[in-house]
Amino acid sequence: LRLDPAHALSLVEAAWDEARLGYGSEQNWHPEALARSRSLIERALKSDPQLLDAWIEAGYGCVRERDFDCARSRASEAEKISPGAPEIRLLQANIARREGQLKEAVALAKEALPGLQNKYEKVSAYETLTDAYKQWEDYDAADRAYRLRMPPRPWLSVMPWRFMDSSSGLSDAAIP
């Protein structure tokens, strides 16, 4: 950004970094970090309104703020640029899961998975599946999705995913 303050992709990356710095939990993001992230995304969209990544990150920004109408609007704009892109399906899966539309979330995440190229996005799709199946109380499916998103770990076979917290490892339930 020092070389080109209007470089759209760099602005998107900076927006993601800002959001990540503000992470407390899925329901608890620091408002100042979200505002900084939103500002960077707005600059990216102004600089390059055809950049798919900017619309996707804008959608996730809306999800973080629990503004699902905004998130769907951003996904719709992304759809105009790259119809059917797996990254859009993943965003839509995340929106659906957070709104409790679990069947739709699972279908969209499964649709997205074969086309996702980057490891982070694949992990996100498996996390979406794991969380949706847990909410659905299909614990066997949740366990399978969880194991697919994680690298093999020897202790995983004796410690089920129910005792894991996706952001930090062991949950309080796993600690006696």
Side-chain angles (χ1 to χ4, degrees), residues 59 63 68 71-72 75 90-100:
V63 168
F68 302 115
R72 276 189 295 281
L90 181 56
L91 171 59
Q92 293 167 327
N94 276 284
I95 296 165
R97 184 188 63 79
R98 285 176 174 86
E99 290 187 310

Side-chain angles (χ1 to χ4, degrees), residues 20 22 43 50 71 74 100 126 131 134 151:
R20 193 174 40 171
R43 286 175 50 199
Q50 294 299 305
R74 300 309 183 258
Y126 284 120
D131 291 343
K134 280 175 22 181

Side-chain angles (χ1 to χ4, degrees), residues 108-122:
L108 287 163
K110 285 182 174 182
E111 182 182 339
L113 263 166
L116 295 172
Q117 299 299 311
N118 115 10
K119 182 178 177 179
Y120 167 78
E121 290 169 339
K122 287 183 180 189

Side-chain angles (χ1 to χ4, degrees), residues 60-131:
Y60 280 111
C62 296
V63 168
R64 290 180 201 110
E65 294 183 31
R66 292 185 287 259
D67 184 345
F68 302 115
D69 289 335
C70 171
R72 276 189 295 281
S73 171
R74 300 309 183 258
S76 178
E77 290 298 322
E79 194 76 40
K80 293 175 188 175
I81 296 165
S82 185
E87 299 85 357
I88 300 168
R89 295 297 170 261
L90 181 56
L91 171 59
Q92 293 167 327
N94 276 284
I95 296 165
R97 184 188 63 79
R98 285 176 174 86
E99 290 187 310
Q101 299 170 2
L102 304 179
K103 195 172 191 176
E104 181 180 356
V106 166
L108 287 163
K110 285 182 174 182
E111 182 182 339
L113 263 166
L116 295 172
Q117 299 299 311
N118 115 10
K119 182 178 177 179
Y120 167 78
E121 290 169 339
K122 287 183 180 189
V123 167
S124 179
Y126 284 120
E127 285 176 348
T128 298
L129 287 170
T130 300
D131 291 343

